[in-house]
Amino acid sequence: ELELVDRQSYLLETLDKAGPEGVVFQKLFEGARVLAVVVTFLALLELIRRNLVVARQSANFTEIRIAKAVKDE
């Protein structure tokens, strides 16, 4: 059983390891079954909504990169 909170933790850990460049959006879903894709996507949307993660695309039709948000202190 996949829990949304567990997928959020997985995403944050993955993005921590990836550093400031983040990861390519598609890489987050490689080899995943349908349920895992859905839960991961919902977890990602929630992290973006909470401003913990950002999605960047340099131009139309280019790859989307996902990275941890940088907090201003």
Side-chain angles (χ1 to χ4, degrees), residues 25-36:
F25 178 76
Q26 290 97 327
K27 296 280 185 192
L28 297 173
F29 304 100
E30 283 184 347
R33 294 180 179 235
V34 174
L35 180 61

Side-chain angles (χ1 to χ4, degrees), residues 17-60:
K17 292 176 187 174
E21 287 296 311
V23 296
V24 176
F25 178 76
Q26 290 97 327
K27 296 280 185 192
L28 297 173
F29 304 100
E30 283 184 347
R33 294 180 179 235
V34 174
L35 180 61
V37 169
V38 171
V39 175
T40 301
F41 187 71
L42 291 174
L44 183 59
L45 289 176
E46 179 62 18
L47 291 172
I48 291 170
R49 186 187 72 78
R50 292 173 43 203
N51 295 316
L52 296 173
V53 170
V54 294
R56 296 188 186 104
Q57 186 177 27
S58 59
N60 290 340

